[in-house]
Amino acid sequence: MDSRQLEYFVAVAEELSFTRAAQRLFTVQSTVSAAIRALETDLRTTLFDRSTRRVTLSAAGAALLPEAKAALEALDRARSVVEEASTGLRGNLRIGTMTRLGLVDLAPLLGAFHQTYPLVDVQVTTSPTGSSGLADDVRHGRLDVALVGLPLAELGGLEIRELASVPFAVLVPPSHRLASEVSVALEQLAGERFVDMLRGFGNRRMVDQAFERAGVPRQVQVEVPDLSEVPEYVRAGLGIAVVPDISPSVAGVVHLPLTKPGLTWTLSVATIAGRQPSRAVVALQELLSEAVRPGTYFTGELIS
């Protein structure tokens, strides 16, 4: 067997689809299928149970998967050590992030990273399902590192470095009945219409769960994919919002502290658990830890 066969095997095992594995590897399905057949012939066993509807790992395939991952990781580390010794830090770095990340100026940070490590190929992407999708992409090896805003309980299988935490605030227009309050409790928001992020985004999940725990039903009238858009809809009178207080003040929108329950949104860097991160990932983590905007609560805590 060779490393390419193992790479194809891991991709099919994680995607449970020859088509998706080929797309992930930027090749054609016939190449992936041929590599798996050759590996099965070499090992004299069937690694996948195939049907017209689905692909599943066989018992032999399930036994091979962790060993194949370990072998590929060892090869990657060996290549990295040799390359870095001769030419400096290099490799690929696949980064996932949220749209309009308010606590970190990511673009100039990555520009500085590229200037320092020009041989590292940096790729940046977002997910249509926000932090939930990014966390899943890290778990399945589609990303090396991601900036996420999910509660710790929803980050299983990941190693988490907390960067900063901010409280939630209630956004209302100046004419709203609560605009003159010093602070607001969740129960005071019963019966309101809301502006919020799409389902799957970390802050939306936290707020949904808080309302459910409080037994307060709510109607989300407007859903947007970008946190920076929320105040504009509030100002237009289409609803109020409960969001992390990281957006700059907008004229025509009142920010009120949310005191009960005291929700806190945490920005974290996620990598896959149980695997030593590459030197490029470590270098990026160090830059991120130094780049959190002033005025936020820095934690720097590493959680496995």
Side-chain angles (χ1 to χ4, degrees):
M1 72 180 75
D2 60 39
S3 62
R4 179 63 66 180
Q5 290 173 335
L6 291 179
E7 184 180 0
Y8 286 1
F9 165 73
V10 169
V12 176
E14 292 182 339
E15 300 292 343
L16 293 180
S17 165
F18 283 81
T19 300
R20 290 195 297 272
Q23 292 170 345
R24 169 173 156 180
L25 296 165
F26 302 103
T27 187
V28 295
Q29 182 176 335
S30 59
T31 300
V32 176
S33 297
I36 297 301
R37 284 196 300 270
L39 183 58
E40 289 178 324
T41 298
D42 185 36
L43 296 175
R44 299 180 182 179
T45 190
T46 299
L47 300 173
F48 296 98
D49 295 323
R50 306 165 176 85
S51 70
T52 56
R53 293 186 176 182
R54 64 175 186 166
V55 174
T56 58
L57 276 168
S58 68
L64 175 62
L65 182 57
E67 303 300 330
K69 287 183 176 180
L72 290 173
E73 289 164 15
L75 285 172
D76 286 341
R77 286 195 299 271
R79 291 192 188 99
S80 297
V81 168
V82 173
E83 289 173 347
E84 290 168 23
S86 59
T87 62
L89 189 64
R90 64 186 303 158
N92 297 313
L93 185 56
R94 299 165 299 168
I95 305 165
T97 184
M98 296 165 279
T99 58
R100 297 288 184 100
L101 187 63
L103 299 180
V104 178
D105 288 326
L106 191 61
L109 182 145
L110 292 179
F113 183 91
H114 177 66
Q115 290 291 326
T116 306
Y117 307 110
L119 297 179
V120 177
D121 183 19
V122 176
Q123 303 167 32
V124 184
T125 189
T126 59
S127 171
T129 52
S131 290
S132 298
L134 294 172
D136 198 48
D137 286 341
V138 175
R139 290 188 188 99
H140 288 87
R142 294 185 285 266
L143 292 173
D144 300 306
V145 61
L147 290 161
V148 297
L150 287 170
L152 188 60
E154 299 186 29
L155 293 170
L158 301 174
E159 186 172 275
I160 302 301
R161 183 182 296 273
E162 295 183 351
L163 293 180
S165 295
V166 294
F168 276 73
V170 180
L171 309 186
V172 301
S175 59
H176 193 272
R177 62 183 176 85
L178 297 173
S180 61
E181 296 287 329
V182 176
S183 61
V184 178
L186 207 66
E187 290 78 8
Q188 293 176 265
L189 306 180
E192 295 284 348
R193 294 180 303 175
F194 288 84
V195 181
D196 211 328
M197 304 285 283
L198 300 170
R199 294 182 183 275
F201 284 71
N203 56 294
R204 168 68 184 271
R205 292 172 69 89
M206 289 185 68
V207 174
D208 282 344
Q209 292 167 6
F211 273 90
E212 289 173 6
R213 287 193 299 268
V216 179
R218 74 169 184 148
Q219 176 186 356
V220 178
Q221 192 79 7
V222 179
E223 293 183 322
V224 296
D226 192 326
L227 186 60
S228 65
E229 297 178 21
V230 171
E232 299 299 331
Y233 286 92
V234 172
R235 182 169 60 179
L238 293 174
I240 68 170
V242 180
V243 293
D245 199 9
I246 59 177
S247 298
S249 297
V250 175
V253 176
V254 178
H255 288 232
L256 301 170
L258 180 67
T259 57
K260 183 184 177 184
L263 294 178
T264 300
W265 181 83
T266 300
L267 174 66
S268 303
V269 183
T271 55
I272 193 166
R275 183 182 304 174
Q276 183 177 353
S278 68
R279 285 190 59 196
V281 169
V282 172
L284 178 64
Q285 288 175 322
E286 292 173 353
L287 276 180
L288 286 167
S289 296
E290 298 169 359
V292 176
R293 286 184 174 176
T296 56
Y297 171 63
F298 174 75
T299 65
E301 184 177 359
L302 181 63
I303 302 171
S304 299

